């Protein structure tokens, strides 16, 4: 756990806030290793802080239609989306709606979970 993450959790405890979301973005070998680490961190920290009324979850999106993706060559975007079973990029609104759910009272029993937003492409 990084010092920033450690201090963030203590700030949550002090302020009695109850939800945390980790967002994971797209990339390969080092990326996959770090992604697995973030998912493991969310699972471990979710269990560790479960009795404090703080929920800790991760969000793992595939290619999301952002300004960065808009600036890519269309062939590169097609290459990436062709690997997604839904054959499209995710939308920022879909990410926002999922995060809104994760931090809602309705999701207060979810902790230590990785929410998948890959259009069916999850490879972890």
């Amino acid at each position: 756990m990084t010092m920033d993450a450690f201090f963030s959790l203590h700030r949550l405890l002090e302020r009695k806030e109850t939800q945390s979301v980790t967002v994971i973005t797209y990339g390969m070998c080092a990326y996959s290793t770090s992604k697995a680490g973030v998912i493991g961190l969310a699972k471990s920290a979710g269990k560790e802080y479960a009795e404090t009324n703080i929920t800790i979850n991760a969000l793992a999106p595939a290619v999301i239609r952002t300004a960065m993706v808009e600036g890519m060559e269309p062939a590169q975007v097609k290459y990436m989306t062709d690997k997604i079973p839904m054959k499209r990029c995710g939308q920022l609104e879909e990410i926002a709606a999922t995060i809104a759910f994760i931090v809602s009272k309705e999701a207060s029993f979810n902790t230590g979970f990785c929410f998948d937003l890959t259009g069916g492409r999850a490879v972890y």
Side-chain angles (χ1 to χ4, degrees):
M1 179 178 300
T2 68
M3 290 305 288
D4 285 343
F6 176 78
F7 288 119
S8 293
L9 285 171
H10 283 277
R11 281 192 293 273
L12 286 172
L13 285 169
E14 290 169 2
R15 295 188 320 210
K16 305 273 191 265
E17 293 183 32
T18 60
Q19 274 109 359
S20 173
V21 177
T22 302
V23 178
I24 304 169
T25 57
Y26 193 79
M28 291 306 89
C29 186
Y31 158 80
S32 296
T33 302
S34 62
K35 183 174 188 172
V38 171
I39 292 169
L41 174 63
K43 289 178 177 290
S44 296
K47 289 177 184 173
E48 187 172 326
Y49 285 85
E51 291 183 21
T52 67
N53 202 31
I54 294 172
T55 62
I56 300 173
N57 295 288
L59 184 70
V63 183
I64 304 302
R65 184 65 67 180
T66 62
M68 182 183 83
V69 172
E70 292 293 335
M72 292 178 165
E73 293 293 325
Q76 178 64 31
V77 176
K78 181 178 179 343
Y79 172 79
M80 293 186 301
T81 56
D82 279 351
K83 295 179 178 186
I84 298 171
M86 289 185 158
K87 301 293 185 211
R88 67 176 181 86
C89 291
Q91 301 297 314
L92 286 173
E93 296 80 10
E94 293 167 317
I95 300 294
T98 302
I99 291 172
F101 169 71
I102 292 169
V103 300
S104 72
K105 293 285 183 201
E106 292 79 11
S108 64
F109 195 60
N110 291 313
T111 195
F113 186 72
C114 181
F115 287 83
D116 177 82
L117 286 162
T118 63
R121 188 181 189 289
V123 293
Y124 49 85

